[in-house]
Amino acid sequence: MEGWLNGCRPLLGLDGCFLKGKYGGVCLSIIRLDGNNGLFPIAVFFCSSECTETWKKFLEMMEPSLNLHRYRLNFISDRQKGLIEAVSSVFLFANHRFYFRHMYKNIKKYHRGTHLEKLVWGAVKAWKQTEKKEFLDWLKLDDPAAYDWLHREPYER
């Protein structure tokens, strides 16, 4: 815990994976970045299914330890089943962001093209608001439906 409190950023990755084998189930995990940008596992939780209740139970067990960090917590995930609701109910004031790679996989089911890929990823990677706006303006001209799809999600996520 000393390393978590003093040497790590308050950025936590939440993920789950299905366990294939004799017993099956799901492994839920919380990982973080250490001072050298290395991944460091904080906790794992084995359960029978991935749903809001199991994520909530796992996060409630970890909440006292995680809230000891002096900075506001930031969670990043891939929008798994029940995860969004569980994080918002257990950590009321934490930020929750999503991996854009998973969002891009969803958008390219309906909108295709290498030009679209360059515009979307350019907007996501832009550091300046003016640069992001340029990419989004080009996207709006090129594929208005893709622009609308992308705008369903708030900018901060």
Side-chain angles (χ1 to χ4, degrees):
M1 288 306 298
E2 186 177 326
W4 158 246
L5 297 175
N6 297 321
C8 292
R9 299 177 194 110
L11 178 64
L12 301 165
L14 303 173
D15 200 9
C17 66
F18 293 101
L19 301 173
K20 297 180 181 180
K22 183 177 179 181
Y23 299 106
V26 179
C27 175
L28 307 179
S29 63
I30 301 175
I31 58 170
R32 65 184 167 119
L33 291 175
D34 63 14
N36 295 324
N37 281 338
L39 294 178
F40 185 82
I42 291 181
V44 293
F45 184 75
F46 297 99
C47 54
S48 59
S49 67
E50 182 179 14
C51 60
T52 305
E53 291 79 28
T54 55
W55 271 112
K56 191 171 180 181
K57 182 178 180 180
F58 179 39
L59 292 173
E60 284 173 345
M61 288 175 11
M62 295 305 302
E63 188 261 340
S65 300
L66 296 178
N67 273 337
L68 291 175
H69 204 285
R70 63 179 169 248
Y71 297 110
R72 185 174 169 182
L73 296 176
N74 298 282
F75 293 97
I76 188 165
S77 70
D78 59 357
R79 302 171 139 192
Q80 293 175 340
K81 298 176 184 174
L83 186 54
I84 298 169
E85 296 84 16
V87 170
S88 63
S89 68
V90 176
F91 296 95
L92 300 176
F93 300 107
N95 294 317
H96 191 187
R97 304 292 187 253
F98 308 117
Y99 295 122
F100 186 74
R101 184 173 57 93
H102 295 284
M103 292 174 69
Y104 178 69
K105 284 182 180 181
N106 290 334
I107 195 174
K108 76 178 191 176
K109 289 178 187 175
Y110 309 106
H111 311 281
R112 297 194 174 268
T114 55
H115 184 65
L116 172 76
E117 182 177 359
K118 289 177 186 175
L119 292 177
V120 171
W121 279 103
V124 169
K125 292 179 179 181
W127 287 94
K128 298 177 183 175
Q129 287 294 332
T130 55
E131 192 176 319
K132 181 182 289 193
K133 186 176 177 343
E134 286 178 25
F135 279 109
L136 291 174
D137 289 344
W138 290 333
L139 179 64
K140 191 173 186 176
L141 290 173
D142 191 50
D143 191 345
Y147 175 84
D148 293 338
W149 188 95
L150 195 60
H151 269 53
R152 287 185 209 146
E153 197 63 47
Y155 278 129
E156 62 271 6
R157 292 208 169 164

